[in-house]
Amino acid sequence: MITLKSRREIDEMKAAGKILADTHKELKKIIKPGITSWDLEVFTEEFLRKNGATPEQKGFEGYEYAICASINDEICHGFPRKQKLNEGDIITVDMVVNYHGALADSAWTYAVGEVPDDVKHLMDVTHKALYLGIEQAKVGARIGDIGHAIQTYVESENLAVVREFIGHGVGPTLHEKPDIPHFGQAGKGPRLKEGMVITVEPMVNMGAWKAKMDDNGWTARTVDGSLSAQYEHTFAITQDGPEILTYQGEQDGPEILTYQGEND
């Protein structure tokens, strides 16, 4: 069932989103060669609790950590670990924040030190694809419009969109309907309605789009060992356009669309 949120509920989720965005901004400051993803796990949980929030995904279907930390060829759901990050690695940190019962979900890919130009290209394209998808999310548009915009752009840049993992509705639980694929046909799928709160979270690979699962049953990685990046925002569908609830401010990079809350 697709739930539509009231203005009050959206504002509550926006408060959770601010804490989440602040967490990502702090992580960006500390991610460097020599740090471990376990350090990021400990930092994140302490930062959330200090701000009155909790990590919603910890305990979700048996998942044990506050963050997912996916390194290099890991597409998503990587476990935090005590292995040091090296110069040239990339790491995606994904988390869901619960603040007084309201949820927000966001993932971000970070370069560890300097990375080659082709890796910068992967990150830039994935980041822009996120915003191109969000730009389609208007009242009356169809879910296929989002995926089509993302897939068309990513493939024009000679990269590949992961099919196995998709965006979704958020609230009152972590994963709600509707499903939001990052590929597809424009004009297809359910219509978007005012009050929907959803995520767009394209995962983009430098090689083939297919994923394979690790023995832990959680972590997905590329089938060919190529690198993968992901960016994700939670946003609400409003009459004025998409309202991003996990906006990070100038740290997001180039502005691609206008939306409510930009100057909050």
Side-chain angles (χ1 to χ4, degrees):
M1 183 177 70
I2 297 173
T3 62
L4 302 180
K5 277 70 174 179
S6 66
R7 183 67 250 178
R8 175 185 60 79
E9 290 171 315
I10 291 171
D11 287 343
E12 289 170 349
M13 296 178 79
K14 191 172 184 178
K18 183 180 186 307
I19 295 172
L20 201 165
D22 288 345
T23 308
H24 274 302
K25 287 190 280 189
E26 292 301 315
L27 288 171
K28 184 175 183 179
K29 297 175 184 177
I30 65 174
I31 291 175
K32 59 185 178 181
I35 200 168
T36 72
S37 54
W38 186 254
D39 295 330
L40 307 182
E41 163 77 9
V42 172
F43 173 86
T44 296
E45 182 153 17
E46 290 179 350
F47 186 85
L48 294 181
R49 295 191 185 281
K50 183 174 69 175
N51 285 278
T54 56
E56 180 69 10
Q57 65 202 46
K58 190 171 185 178
F60 176 75
E61 296 183 352
Y63 190 78
E64 298 179 2
Y65 308 102
I67 64 172
C68 295
S70 305
I71 301 168
N72 293 334
D73 67 328
E74 295 173 343
I75 296 170
C76 59
H77 306 153
F79 290 0
R81 70 212 79 164
K82 296 183 179 179
Q83 168 189 343
K84 291 183 179 180
L85 297 173
N86 297 314
E87 181 89 15
D89 286 341
I90 58 173
I91 180 170
T92 299
V93 180
D94 186 7
M95 73 187 83
V96 183
V97 168
N98 183 322
Y99 183 62
H100 301 311
L103 304 184
D105 187 0
S106 179
W108 221 250
T109 297
Y110 299 94
V112 182
E114 290 295 319
V115 297
D117 287 344
D118 59 345
V119 179
K120 291 178 183 176
H121 180 248
L122 169 70
M123 295 172 66
D124 289 344
V125 168
T126 309
H127 179 258
K128 184 175 179 181
L130 166 70
Y131 283 95
L132 292 177
I134 293 173
E135 191 174 22
Q136 307 303 312
K138 300 172 183 176
V139 173
R142 293 191 181 272
I143 286 175
D145 299 337
I146 296 173
H148 179 75
I150 292 170
Q151 181 181 13
T152 300
Y153 170 64
V154 168
E155 292 180 353
S156 76
E157 296 290 335
N158 298 313
L159 298 169
V161 177
V162 173
R163 309 288 204 275
E164 293 96 331
F165 301 94
I166 58 179
H168 52 86
V170 181
T173 60
L174 194 154
H175 284 172
E176 300 273 331
K177 294 295 184 181
D179 295 337
I180 313 291
H182 305 113
F183 58 94
Q185 292 181 285
K188 300 292 184 179
R191 290 194 183 276
L192 297 170
K193 298 180 180 180
E194 183 178 12
M196 286 183 176
V197 177
I198 61 177
T199 72
V200 166
E201 48 187 292
M203 287 152 262
V204 176
N205 299 344
M206 291 180 73
W209 62 261
K210 292 185 177 180
K212 61 182 180 181
M213 296 300 298
D214 281 0
D215 291 340
N216 63 27
W218 281 96
T219 305
R221 64 178 70 238
T222 59
V223 294
D224 53 12
S226 62
L227 299 188
S228 185
Q230 178 191 12
Y231 294 88
E232 174 188 17
H233 272 314
T234 296
F235 60 96
I237 309 297
T238 80
Q239 286 293 343
D240 298 320
E243 180 179 355
I244 297 176
L245 308 182
T246 49
Y247 181 55
Q248 293 183 36
E250 294 180 2
Q251 302 233 6
D252 268 3
E255 198 176 310
I256 295 176
L257 73 157
T258 302
Y259 45 87
Q260 288 183 321
E262 180 179 357
N263 298 313
D264 286 1

